[in-house]
Amino acid sequence: GTFPEDFSRLRKLKSLTISYNAFGGLLPYFIQDLTNLETLILSNNNFQGPLDGITFPSSIKIIDLSNNDLSGTIPRNFLEGVPTDSLLDLDLSDNVFQGTIPSFLAKFDDMNLLLRNNFIKGIDEEICQKEKC
């Protein structure tokens, strides 16, 4: 499935859930334009490719990308615009991510991170030293 070209009328959208559908290809570029978005649930679709170049609005609190075919490593600029004091739930489970969970994720004081059923080989030591885990 594909998305409409013009999402400008959805800028005030706070929640987008399109799980259990047949959407595919790369993650939608317009996510960054949804400046009030707090919840993004794209689980159980056919999205594929890396997370490189995906930008989330600073308002985001819940991201569920589980059960897709997303791949590659978690890039250094992932969640770059999200404030470090955000309460963040991030589910990347059941994809084909690989590599090490990068240290920059330790900048978040309160994050739930789900990564089951991927090809992750390690977790940066800085994340393991966080007081809240």
Side-chain angles (χ1 to χ4, degrees):
T2 59
F3 293 96
E5 290 293 319
D6 182 17
F7 266 83
S8 63
R9 290 178 277 168
L10 298 178
R11 290 191 192 277
K12 293 185 179 184
L13 191 69
K14 288 190 174 193
S15 180
L16 176 63
T17 300
I18 56 166
S19 57
Y20 293 95
N21 281 289
F23 289 102
L26 299 174
L27 289 174
Y29 68 90
F30 64 81
I31 292 170
Q32 67 189 13
D33 297 331
L34 304 177
T35 54
N36 292 304
L37 193 67
E38 295 177 1
T39 302
L40 177 66
I41 302 177
L42 304 180
S43 62
N44 296 284
N45 279 287
N46 297 312
F47 290 112
Q48 51 192 243
L51 293 175
D52 296 332
I54 299 299
T55 303
F56 295 94
S58 62
S59 56
I60 201 76
K61 294 179 180 2
I62 298 170
I63 302 170
D64 185 351
L65 303 176
S66 64
N67 291 299
N68 281 288
D69 289 315
L70 298 170
S71 59
T73 59
I74 298 174
R76 290 187 176 272
N77 63 349
F78 184 61
L79 304 175
E80 188 173 56
V82 179
T84 59
D85 62 349
S86 293
L87 303 174
L88 190 59
D89 286 323
L90 177 61
D91 191 348
L92 301 177
S93 302
D94 297 300
N95 282 286
V96 287
F97 291 113
Q98 56 192 355
T100 300
I101 303 305
S103 64
F104 76 85
L105 289 178
K107 72 181 183 177
F108 292 99
D109 293 328
D110 207 343
M111 172 192 276
N112 292 315
L113 177 61
L114 303 173
L115 292 161
R116 73 181 178 277
N117 293 327
N118 279 286
F119 297 95
I120 303 296
K121 295 182 180 177
I123 299 174
D124 189 280
E125 190 173 320
E126 190 175 342
I127 293 173
C128 296
Q129 294 173 355
K130 293 286 290 186
E131 288 183 29
K132 289 184 178 180
C133 290

